[in-house]
PDB file of all heavy atoms in Angstrom:
ATOM      1  N   VAL L 672     -22.314-134.577-230.527  1.00 97.00           N
ATOM      2  CA  VAL L 672     -21.486-134.346-231.716  1.00 97.00           C
ATOM      3  C   VAL L 672     -22.310-133.688-232.828  1.00 97.00           C
ATOM      4  O   VAL L 672     -21.845-132.789-233.524  1.00 97.00           O
ATOM      5  CB  VAL L 672     -20.845-135.672-232.194  1.00 97.00           C
ATOM      6  CG1 VAL L 672     -20.317-135.559-233.609  1.00 97.00           C
ATOM      7  CG2 VAL L 672     -19.710-136.045-231.224  1.00 97.00           C
ATOM      8  N   ILE L 673     -23.565-134.143-232.990  1.00 96.00           N
ATOM      9  CA  ILE L 673     -24.453-133.551-234.001  1.00 96.00           C
ATOM     10  C   ILE L 673     -24.595-132.059-233.735  1.00 96.00           C
ATOM     11  O   ILE L 673     -24.480-131.225-234.637  1.00 96.00           O
ATOM     12  CB  ILE L 673     -25.822-134.259-234.040  1.00 96.00           C
ATOM     13  CG1 ILE L 673     -25.662-135.683-234.546  1.00 96.00           C
ATOM     14  CG2 ILE L 673     -26.814-133.473-234.894  1.00 96.00           C
ATOM     15  CD1 ILE L 673     -26.870-136.576-234.295  1.00 96.00           C
ATOM     16  N   GLY L 674     -24.772-131.715-232.454  1.00 94.00           N
ATOM     17  CA  GLY L 674     -24.904-130.304-232.049  1.00 94.00           C
ATOM     18  C   GLY L 674     -23.639-129.530-232.403  1.00 94.00           C
ATOM     19  O   GLY L 674     -23.725-128.421-232.921  1.00 94.00           O
ATOM     20  N   LEU L 675     -22.494-130.122-232.136  1.00 95.00           N
ATOM     21  CA  LEU L 675     -21.214-129.448-232.424  1.00 95.00           C
ATOM     22  C   LEU L 675     -21.022-129.241-233.922  1.00 95.00           C
ATOM     23  O   LEU L 675     -20.542-128.209-234.369  1.00 95.00           O
ATOM     24  CB  LEU L 675     -20.048-130.242-231.825  1.00 95.00           C
ATOM     25  CG  LEU L 675     -19.956-130.265-230.313  1.00 95.00           C
ATOM     26  CD1 LEU L 675     -18.883-131.238-229.856  1.00 95.00           C
ATOM     27  CD2 LEU L 675     -19.694-128.880-229.745  1.00 95.00           C
ATOM     28  N   LEU L 676     -21.372-130.267-234.695  1.00 96.00           N
ATOM     29  CA  LEU L 676     -21.217-130.163-236.166  1.00 96.00           C
ATOM     30  C   LEU L 676     -22.112-129.062-236.705  1.00 96.00           C
ATOM     31  O   LEU L 676     -21.677-128.267-237.540  1.00 96.00           O
ATOM     32  CB  LEU L 676     -21.569-131.494-236.841  1.00 96.00           C
ATOM     33  CG  LEU L 676     -20.545-132.629-236.653  1.00 96.00           C
ATOM     34  CD1 LEU L 676     -21.169-133.965-237.118  1.00 96.00           C
ATOM     35  CD2 LEU L 676     -19.277-132.352-237.432  1.00 96.00           C
ATOM     36  N   GLU L 677     -23.358-129.026-236.212  1.00 94.00           N
ATOM     37  CA  GLU L 677     -24.256-127.998-236.694  1.00 94.00           C
ATOM     38  C   GLU L 677     -23.756-126.611-236.356  1.00 94.00           C
ATOM     39  O   GLU L 677     -23.832-125.689-237.132  1.00 94.00           O
ATOM     40  CB  GLU L 677     -25.663-128.227-236.107  1.00 94.00           C
ATOM     41  CG  GLU L 677     -26.381-129.362-236.813  1.00 94.00           C
ATOM     42  CD  GLU L 677     -27.727-129.694-236.231  1.00 94.00           C
ATOM     43  OE1 GLU L 677     -27.985-129.313-235.027  1.00 94.00           O
ATOM     44  OE2 GLU L 677     -28.542-130.328-236.913  1.00 94.00           O
ATOM     45  N   ALA L 678     -23.171-126.516-235.160  1.00 91.00           N
ATOM     46  CA  ALA L 678     -22.607-125.208-234.717  1.00 91.00           C
ATOM     47  C   ALA L 678     -21.448-124.783-235.620  1.00 91.00           C
ATOM     48  O   ALA L 678     -21.164-123.603-235.806  1.00 91.00           O
ATOM     49  CB  ALA L 678     -22.155-125.276-233.286  1.00 91.00           C
ATOM     50  N   GLU L 679     -20.747-125.779-236.220  1.00 94.00           N
ATOM     51  CA  GLU L 679     -19.642-125.488-237.115  1.00 94.00           C
ATOM     52  C   GLU L 679     -20.099-125.297-238.561  1.00 94.00           C
ATOM     53  O   GLU L 679     -19.277-125.200-239.470  1.00 94.00           O
ATOM     54  CB  GLU L 679     -18.623-126.663-237.062  1.00 94.00           C
ATOM     55  CG  GLU L 679     -17.846-126.748-235.774  1.00 94.00           C
ATOM     56  CD  GLU L 679     -16.981-125.515-235.505  1.00 94.00           C
ATOM     57  OE1 GLU L 679     -16.327-125.027-236.448  1.00 94.00           O
ATOM     58  OE2 GLU L 679     -16.966-125.051-234.350  1.00 94.00           O
ATOM     59  N   GLY L 680     -21.398-125.331-238.754  1.00 94.00           N
ATOM     60  CA  GLY L 680     -21.929-125.112-240.088  1.00 94.00           C
ATOM     61  C   GLY L 680     -21.963-126.356-240.997  1.00 94.00           C
ATOM     62  O   GLY L 680     -22.137-126.240-242.193  1.00 94.00           O
ATOM     63  N   ILE L 681     -21.766-127.527-240.384  1.00 96.00           N
ATOM     64  CA  ILE L 681     -21.882-128.761-241.166  1.00 96.00           C
ATOM     65  C   ILE L 681     -23.305-129.284-240.967  1.00 96.00           C
ATOM     66  O   ILE L 681     -23.644-129.826-239.908  1.00 96.00           O
ATOM     67  CB  ILE L 681     -20.836-129.830-240.728  1.00 96.00           C
ATOM     68  CG1 ILE L 681     -19.426-129.246-240.896  1.00 96.00           C
ATOM     69  CG2 ILE L 681     -21.019-131.126-241.533  1.00 96.00           C
ATOM     70  CD1 ILE L 681     -18.340-130.084-240.331  1.00 96.00           C
ATOM     71  N   HIS L 682     -24.167-129.083-241.955  1.00 95.00           N
ATOM     72  CA  HIS L 682     -25.563-129.444-241.776  1.00 95.00           C
ATOM     73  C   HIS L 682     -25.941-130.702-242.521  1.00 95.00           C
ATOM     74  O   HIS L 682     -27.017-131.261-242.310  1.00 95.00           O
ATOM     75  CB  HIS L 682     -26.454-128.304-242.241  1.00 95.00           C
ATOM     76  CG  HIS L 682     -26.272-127.069-241.413  1.00 95.00           C
ATOM     77  ND1 HIS L 682     -26.678-127.004-240.097  1.00 95.00           N
ATOM     78  CD2 HIS L 682     -25.645-125.905-241.671  1.00 95.00           C
ATOM     79  CE1 HIS L 682     -26.362-125.825-239.583  1.00 95.00           C
ATOM     80  NE2 HIS L 682     -25.731-125.131-240.543  1.00 95.00           N
ATOM     81  N   ASN L 683     -25.040-131.136-243.421  1.00 97.00           N
ATOM     82  CA  ASN L 683     -25.313-132.389-244.128  1.00 97.00           C
ATOM     83  C   ASN L 683     -24.834-133.539-243.267  1.00 97.00           C
ATOM     84  O   ASN L 683     -23.714-133.995-243.363  1.00 97.00           O
ATOM     85  CB  ASN L 683     -24.599-132.360-245.484  1.00 97.00           C
ATOM     86  CG  ASN L 683     -25.065-133.498-246.380  1.00 97.00           C
ATOM     87  OD1 ASN L 683     -25.649-134.480-245.906  1.00 97.00           O
ATOM     88  ND2 ASN L 683     -24.806-133.364-247.682  1.00 97.00           N
ATOM     89  N   ILE L 684     -25.707-133.985-242.349  1.00 98.00           N
ATOM     90  CA  ILE L 684     -25.347-135.010-241.360  1.00 98.00           C
ATOM     91  C   ILE L 684     -26.248-136.216-241.547  1.00 98.00           C
ATOM     92  O   ILE L 684     -27.484-136.078-241.581  1.00 98.00           O
ATOM     93  CB  ILE L 684     -25.526-134.457-239.923  1.00 98.00           C
ATOM     94  CG1 ILE L 684     -24.642-133.231-239.736  1.00 98.00           C
ATOM     95  CG2 ILE L 684     -25.226-135.523-238.881  1.00 98.00           C
ATOM     96  CD1 ILE L 684     -24.910-132.494-238.419  1.00 98.00           C
ATOM     97  N   ARG L 685     -25.633-137.377-241.651  1.00 98.00           N
ATOM     98  CA  ARG L 685     -26.433-138.596-241.774  1.00 98.00           C
ATOM     99  C   ARG L 685     -25.942-139.639-240.799  1.00 98.00           C
ATOM    100  O   ARG L 685     -24.805-139.671-240.381  1.00 98.00           O
ATOM    101  CB  ARG L 685     -26.418-139.096-243.215  1.00 98.00           C
ATOM    102  CG  ARG L 685     -27.359-138.223-244.071  1.00 98.00           C
ATOM    103  CD  ARG L 685     -27.483-138.708-245.458  1.00 98.00           C
ATOM    104  NE  ARG L 685     -26.331-138.292-246.269  1.00 98.00           N
ATOM    105  CZ  ARG L 685     -26.244-138.537-247.579  1.00 98.00           C
ATOM    106  NH1 ARG L 685     -27.204-139.220-248.175  1.00 98.00           N
ATOM    107  NH2 ARG L 685     -25.216-138.112-248.254  1.00 98.00           N
ATOM    108  N   LEU L 686     -26.867-140.533-240.460  1.00 98.00           N
ATOM    109  CA  LEU L 686     -26.632-141.454-239.362  1.00 98.00           C
ATOM    110  C   LEU L 686     -26.461-142.913-239.792  1.00 98.00           C
ATOM    111  O   LEU L 686     -27.221-143.397-240.634  1.00 98.00           O
ATOM    112  CB  LEU L 686     -27.817-141.358-238.383  1.00 98.00           C
ATOM    113  CG  LEU L 686     -27.707-142.080-237.040  1.00 98.00           C
ATOM    114  CD1 LEU L 686     -26.682-141.365-236.156  1.00 98.00           C
ATOM    115  CD2 LEU L 686     -29.068-142.082-236.359  1.00 98.00           C
ATOM    116  N   ILE L 687     -25.463-143.567-239.226  1.00 98.00           N
ATOM    117  CA  ILE L 687     -25.319-145.014-239.388  1.00 98.00           C
ATOM    118  C   ILE L 687     -25.555-145.618-238.009  1.00 98.00           C
ATOM    119  O   ILE L 687     -24.893-145.260-237.045  1.00 98.00           O
ATOM    120  CB  ILE L 687     -23.936-145.436-239.923  1.00 98.00           C
ATOM    121  CG1 ILE L 687     -23.753-144.936-241.356  1.00 98.00           C
ATOM    122  CG2 ILE L 687     -23.757-146.942-239.860  1.00 98.00           C
ATOM    123  CD1 ILE L 687     -22.392-145.298-241.947  1.00 98.00           C
TER     124      ILE L 687
END
Side-chain angles (χ1 to χ4, degrees):
Chain L
V672 163
I673 291 166
L675 292 172
L676 288 168
E677 284 177 340
E679 289 297 317
I681 301 171
H682 297 290
N683 192 341
I684 300 171
R685 283 184 280 183
L686 189 70
I687 293 180

